[in-house]
Amino acid sequence: MKKTGIFFTYFQGERLRDFPQALAGILEKENVSYYDAVYDSRDGLYYLTPASEELLLEVHSQDMVQEVKLTGNYESALYSAGGTVQAADEIWQGKIDNAFVFTSFGDHHAGRNFYGGMCYFNGAALAITSLKKRGIERFTIVDTDCHHADGTRDIFGYDDDVLHVCFCHQDYQDNHRNVDVRIPYHTSDEEYLTQVKQEFIPRVEAFKPEYIFWEFGYDATQGEYGDKGLTRDCHLKLAQLIKAVADRVCHGRLITILCGGSGRSPATYIIPRIIDCLAELGIYH
Ligand SMILES: [Zn+2]
Ligand SMILES: [Zn+2]
């Protein structure tokens, strides 16, 4: 069984209102470690560390960091990005194999000098910056949020060490390391999964990263604000595919980061099942 870390932060909004209670039955498992932004004294509880300002300034501009401080969401953004940085570090230390990172604010619209779309800091970029200092060299980011990852592309567009495959709505840029796969509105699960199998899996197998980051958004699910017709179960099949390739190419080092999606009910359905897949628990099968 894989050792899975759950990094939990929840400050506001509707979508995570059922958490962490919805993880009952998962948190007790021996191969699952739970890191919480709000410390309490329960046994076995780890503290989630917010991202440091020093690390922020290695990715984002000073002006942008100052602007985020004025939004009122700075602390929450630090915890959101901090979960991914800490997950990467815990994997590097061998304490866990893979991770699911809850966020209040996502990653992929946060670039070097801009933010937006409910993203302030780019947690994957911060984690990669931190891992590079430890001698890790190759990374893959796969993005199945409905929208284009403009922030991530801004940061890594010219970085030969990062393969970025983004399933969005048009081809923004296509070279060997930056791939946008156009997903039309009204797409079936089968069509979407076929695209992932054809456009992502062979590329990541050839690239051989040491870590895979999955920007998991569920905003392309039926009824969501980016509805492309996907069912909730499509995300579970994605989890199986992405975990399997991580197991094959990089010793299972996979960090799943909660990205877009607003509904409480899909979050409560999908997230525990993705964690079940990551930790190989078999609770839902
Ligand atoms: Zn894209
Ligand atoms: Zn989105």
Side-chain angles (χ1 to χ4, degrees):
M1 269 198 221
K2 288 279 184 282
K3 288 180 283 177
T4 298
I6 298 172
F7 296 79
F8 186 74
T9 175
Y10 169 46
F11 284 89
Q12 65 242 330
E14 257 308 291
R15 70 176 179 174
L16 297 180
R17 204 166 281 283
D18 296 326
F19 290 90
Q21 311 87 274
L23 302 176
I26 291 178
L27 297 182
E28 297 75 27
K29 297 291 182 186
E30 240 173 53
N31 60 322
V32 172
S33 304
Y34 180 63
Y35 302 73
D36 198 312
V38 182
Y39 185 76
D40 75 27
S41 58
R42 272 183 291 163
D43 282 341
L45 193 69
Y46 300 98
Y47 184 59
L48 189 155
T49 315
S52 73
E53 187 163 340
E54 192 187 351
L55 183 59
L56 288 185
L57 292 172
E58 291 183 45
V59 171
H60 301 293
S61 73
Q62 187 136 32
D63 285 352
M64 178 185 146
V65 173
Q66 292 307 321
E67 274 180 46
V68 177
K69 282 184 183 174
L70 302 175
T71 62
N73 292 322
Y74 181 66
E75 193 192 15
S76 180
L78 288 183
Y79 278 104
S80 293
T84 302
V85 175
Q86 191 176 12
D89 194 62
E90 296 288 275
I91 291 174
W92 184 78
Q93 292 187 47
K95 293 182 185 169
I96 55 175
D97 300 302
N98 59 32
F100 188 94
V101 181
F102 287 84
T103 60
S104 299
F105 299 106
D107 279 29
H108 74 164
H109 296 309
R112 291 193 179 281
N113 196 31
F114 62 87
Y115 60 89
M118 295 290 282
C119 299
Y120 291 108
F121 300 127
N122 198 307
L126 294 165
I128 287 172
T129 301
S130 181
L131 286 169
K132 280 185 173 184
K133 287 190 232 168
R134 299 191 183 281
I136 310 290
E137 291 176 339
R138 288 170 84 75
F139 308 89
T140 289
I141 303 170
V142 55
D143 192 314
T144 62
D145 185 278
C146 175
H147 303 100
H148 177 58
D150 54 345
T152 305
R153 187 61 53 82
D154 176 62
I155 296 167
F156 292 117
Y158 296 97
D159 187 332
D160 284 338
D161 301 323
V162 178
L163 168 69
H164 183 214
V165 182
C166 172
F167 293 84
C168 52
H169 36 264
Q170 67 184 82
D171 296 336
Y172 286 90
Q173 184 181 0
D174 232 345
N175 63 41
H176 60 296
R177 288 176 297 92
N178 295 294
V179 179
D180 288 299
V181 182
R182 187 179 162 276
I183 301 292
Y185 286 91
H186 310 296
T187 297
S188 70
D189 291 359
E190 289 68 29
E191 287 164 336
Y192 195 99
L193 293 163
T194 298
Q195 289 289 322
V196 171
K197 285 177 197 162
Q198 289 176 355
E199 302 292 339
F200 172 62
I201 303 294
R203 283 188 171 89
V204 68
E205 284 176 338
F207 191 78
K208 297 186 174 56
E210 292 161 275
Y211 277 70
I212 298 174
F213 294 82
W214 175 22
E215 298 282 1
F216 153 66
Y218 61 91
D219 48 0
T221 312
Q222 292 168 15
E224 279 288 322
Y225 55 84
D227 185 345
K228 286 190 170 179
L230 304 184
T231 72
R232 297 172 176 194
D233 286 315
C234 186
H235 303 286
L236 314 180
K237 290 173 185 151
L238 280 173
Q240 289 162 5
L241 279 175
I242 295 170
K243 177 183 178 292
V245 79
D247 289 349
R248 287 201 299 279
V249 306
C250 55
H251 308 285
R253 294 186 193 122
L254 169 64
I255 299 176
T256 303
I257 306 161
L258 178 57
C259 208
S262 63
R264 174 176 173 177
S265 156
T268 303
Y269 179 84
I270 299 166
I271 293 171
R273 287 169 172 79
I274 288 181
I275 294 171
D276 178 79
C277 169
L278 293 176
E280 302 171 359
L281 298 174
I283 294 173
Y284 292 98
H285 300 299

